[in-house]
Amino acid sequence: MDTRFGLDRRVTLAGDFALAGGGVLPELTIAYETYGTLNANRSNAILVCHALTGDQYLASTHPITGKPGWWTRLVGPGKPVDPEHWFVICANVLGGCMGSTGPSSIDPRDGRAFAMRFPVITLSDMVAAQARLLDHLGIDCLAAVIGGSMGGMQALTWAVNHPARVKKVVAIATAARHSAQNIAFHEVGRQAIMADPNWAGGTYAPGKPPAAGLAVARMAAHITYLSEEGLTEKFGRRLQNRDTVSFGFDADFQVESYLRHQGLSFVERFDANSYLYITRAMDYFDLAEAHDGNLARAFAGVQARFCLVSFTSDWLYPTAESRRIVRALNAAGAPVSFVELESPFGHDAFLLDAPEMNRVVNGFLTA
Amino acid sequence: MTPPGITPIPLRPDLAAVAAAVPEGARVLDIGCGDGQLLAWLRDTKGVEGRGIELDAGDVAAAVGRGLAVVQGDADTDLGDYADDAFDVVILSNTLQAMQRPAEVLAQLVRIGRSAVVSFPNFGHWRVRLSLALGGRMPVTRSLPVSWHETPNIHFCTIADFEALADQMRLTVQSRTGLAAGQPVTLWPNLLADTGVFVLSR
């Protein structure tokens, strides 16, 4: 049994890890899981990249929440990404808080947590860290990289930064850049965290996090993951455990109660400084930036085939952003498939039951 | 290419006529490719490198499921995204009549592709003429099976009309075929053919 493979793995790779923004980490720890078996010629590896608040518990029970893996609708027995056939890898991103090096990690140079001394990271850095993990696992080339939302941004970055290491890219509900509106919502979340006195310049003790600020950040962000139609359908103006409004500031409405619950439960499993750093990395993301805003040129050297999926009610990373990627890939001559699927559930649709998405991904992977 | 021993599913006769105009190993864009039947056939039997555009999400899913590179999109608006001469052959089969601006689409076809294969239902077919002349009703025929109020087809033309448009646009007609029930007709195609298949270039 190779100890590099399996659930709940962690590896520390010694040596400096240089970052796109100029910072250097003295070592790199990556927490990850693998599912299935790597075949003899190492050609069946699929990397699944998680979104902003996701983690490596892709298809196994989450150690804190006890909930099933976050993408068991796509990954698992009988699903398009079936560990019976594929060797599936999912790693906690650089900057995360589930075991990979991040702001809550201890800086080995002085034995204290990095906190805000952690260097600002980018999506490219996250991908570079994953590439180091693949080196460690002995995988030269991925059969596919799959991701939704920020995971899709990583998948696209993989194809651009490591063209020879990726055969197929599945990028779902994502974009090739963060828009002004995307940045704006993230800034609201960051300011909520930093306005919480417990944040203390990022030096909070593990038992005394800026819970109120982080919860508000999550509440604001969560609205962007849903749609007006979805919210109306799910909650409408219905009241929470009462017949009339209280003429006070309790969570009178079900939607308020729901958001408060989302905020509070998020605090249990996520680190506030990680939230600052990862949202910053997303805001800095613009694949075309290094090519004078010309996305087609960013894709000029890609070797992968691409499959993009968007959802009609996703206003966080709307279909127009996927189409922009498709146009650029076409202009670059890269084989690309794209479909916009009907869904009332907003951005979150990619994590919910989406039989057509599964059909597309399955067809794309097996073809 | 199809491995030996596997016979590809036979094509619909009108698609077979279109496929006949596609050389081996060509780079092909099929606009309005549906579930990708023609593209898959061309890939498996002629080794073409195919791409598709299709409006219907379910058809795109089916085509991607066949391993094809198909983008959900609208030929009326999306063709401008493709580079000049990006393909050897651009196919528009049984779709022209559903376009908002057929002439603009034709101009895009011959810009994107070195040649364009266009097939369309011939509104000059005798059944159509008969239906209008004697019945006084819009025709519902084998190649035009949907009633006027439900049809996506908004720009009907006859083979002669198409010929005139190609002439007006100064396009080179490399070949023209009239089909009746899938079989080529040489006599009076504008009267006897239910489908026209043209190969055009700039």
Side-chain angles (χ1 to χ4, degrees):
Chain A
M1 186 63 202
D2 194 323
T3 56
R4 292 176 299 173
F5 304 144
L7 301 182
D8 243 333
R9 304 289 110 175
R10 192 178 293 211
V11 62
T12 297
L13 304 165
D16 283 355
F17 183 70
L19 301 160
V24 175
L25 290 169
E27 63 181 25
L28 177 66
T29 297
I30 302 173
Y32 64 98
E33 301 213 313
T34 72
Y35 311 83
T37 309
L38 188 61
N39 63 14
N41 53 5
R42 299 167 180 267
S43 62
N44 68 332
I46 289 183
L47 177 69
V48 179
C49 302
H50 69 73
L52 165 59
T53 66
D55 48 46
Q56 67 272 36
Y57 300 103
L58 166 69
S60 69
T61 305
H62 196 279
I64 297 174
T65 66
K67 288 183 179 164
W70 56 268
W71 218 359
T72 48
R73 288 179 174 89
L74 189 79
V75 181
K79 304 292 180 184
V81 184
D82 190 337
E84 187 69 36
H85 181 65
W86 301 106
F87 176 69
V88 187
I89 309 154
C90 187
N92 188 210
V93 293
L94 177 68
C97 51
M98 290 305 288
S100 290
T101 301
S104 56
S105 301
I106 302 298
D107 185 343
R109 292 167 297 199
D110 62 9
R112 295 189 300 127
F114 282 104
M116 297 309 283
R117 298 179 303 150
F118 196 72
V120 168
I121 53 168
T122 66
L123 269 286
S124 275
D125 294 326
M126 292 178 187
V127 165
Q130 290 159 358
R132 291 278 298 271
L133 173 64
L134 290 199
D135 296 341
H136 168 71
L137 298 177
I139 295 163
D140 289 334
C141 186
L142 292 163
V145 185
I146 303 175
S149 196
M150 186 183 86
M153 297 173 191
Q154 293 165 68
L156 295 171
T157 303
W158 257 101
V160 170
N161 289 9
H162 305 279
R165 298 190 80 170
V166 195
K167 288 209 154 61
K168 291 180 179 176
V169 170
V170 181
I172 301 172
T174 193
R177 63 177 171 203
H178 241 214
S179 69
Q181 180 173 260
N182 295 147
I183 296 168
F185 273 105
H186 273 176
E187 176 62 0
V188 169
R190 286 190 294 264
Q191 289 301 327
I193 290 167
M194 294 193 280
D196 186 326
N198 279 4
W199 181 62
T203 59
Y204 50 87
K208 203 187 167 203
L214 182 58
V216 171
R218 176 62 168 179
M219 289 166 75
H222 200 81
I223 299 167
T224 70
Y225 305 151
L226 308 172
S227 68
E228 184 180 14
E229 185 189 352
L231 280 174
T232 303
E233 190 180 306
K234 195 167 182 179
F235 306 108
R237 290 185 52 81
R238 284 188 291 281
L239 301 179
Q240 180 71 22
N241 302 330
R242 67 196 72 199
D243 298 324
T244 56
V245 296
S246 69
F247 291 96
F249 294 95
D250 280 356
D252 279 2
F253 293 99
Q254 285 182 7
V255 66
E256 295 174 305
S257 168
Y258 170 79
L259 278 181
R260 288 184 188 190
H261 170 76
Q262 289 295 330
L264 289 175
S265 55
F266 183 61
V267 169
E268 305 285 307
R269 67 173 182 90
F270 215 86
D271 173 58
N273 285 342
S274 269
Y275 197 85
L276 298 180
Y277 277 91
I278 299 174
T279 56
R280 201 70 187 136
M282 294 174 78
D283 292 349
Y284 282 170
F285 180 62
D286 179 4
L287 268 184
E289 193 185 26
H291 303 271
D292 298 328
N294 186 328
L295 188 58
R297 264 197 272 147
F299 288 129
V302 299
Q303 297 171 32
R305 300 173 67 87
F306 292 78
C307 178
L308 281 97
V309 178
S310 70
F311 294 92
T312 48
S313 56
D314 182 353
W315 55 276
L316 187 64
Y317 302 122
T319 291
E321 291 297 321
S322 284
R323 285 202 181 279
R324 178 171 171 263
I325 297 167
V326 170
R327 268 200 303 278
L329 285 168
N330 265 325
V336 52
S337 292
F338 162 68
V339 64
E340 179 191 37
L341 299 177
E342 199 76 45
S343 170
F345 299 117
H347 180 62
D348 262 355
F350 81 97
L351 293 170
L352 306 174
D353 265 329
E356 278 205 311
M357 179 184 86
N358 280 21
R359 185 166 157 220
V360 169
V361 172
N362 185 56
F364 180 72
L365 290 179
T366 49
Chain B
M1 304 297 275
T2 307
I6 295 181
T7 314
I9 305 159
L11 281 177
R12 253 178 23 218
D14 61 314
L15 292 184
V18 170
V22 178
E24 297 260 341
R27 278 175 54 82
V28 174
L29 176 66
D30 185 358
I31 299 163
C33 65
D35 64 5
Q37 191 200 3
L38 175 61
L39 275 176
W41 189 91
L42 287 170
R43 175 192 60 194
D44 296 341
T45 58
K46 288 195 160 183
V48 310
E49 193 197 328
R51 309 281 177 83
I53 300 179
E54 171 54 46
L55 201 54
D56 181 80
D59 277 343
V60 175
V64 175
R66 293 177 189 251
L68 299 165
V70 174
V71 167
Q72 188 180 16
D74 185 344
D76 268 319
T77 55
D78 297 351
L79 296 181
D81 299 338
Y82 292 83
D84 295 357
D85 287 335
F87 296 91
D88 299 315
V89 181
V90 178
I91 295 169
L92 189 73
S93 70
N94 206 28
T95 300
L96 184 71
Q97 72 280 2
M99 301 283 88
Q100 295 280 350
R101 289 173 293 276
E104 281 177 32
V105 170
L106 280 182
Q108 290 286 4
L109 296 190
V110 294
R111 179 187 68 80
I112 298 167
R114 292 176 207 284
S115 70
V117 183
V118 182
S119 75
F120 56 90
N122 175 28
F123 216 65
H125 187 243
W126 64 271
R127 280 186 193 279
V128 174
R129 298 190 196 197
L130 212 60
S131 177
L132 271 170
L134 299 182
R137 303 283 301 270
M138 283 296 276
V140 176
T141 65
R142 189 169 42 215
S143 59
L144 301 169
V146 184
S147 293
W148 67 274
H149 52 95
E150 286 173 329
T151 181
N153 301 329
I154 51 177
H155 282 121
F156 285 119
C157 68
T158 68
I159 288 178
D161 288 329
F162 188 86
E163 191 92 44
L165 178 61
D167 188 51
Q168 185 194 321
M169 292 176 69
R170 299 178 187 283
L171 304 177
T172 306
V173 178
Q174 293 176 347
S175 76
R176 47 177 74 71
T177 312
L179 298 174
Q183 298 305 313
V185 287
T186 44
L187 180 71
W188 301 330
N190 198 40
L191 184 66
L192 299 181
D194 55 41
T195 301
V197 181
F198 279 67
V199 180
L200 306 167
S201 60
R202 260 165 290 169

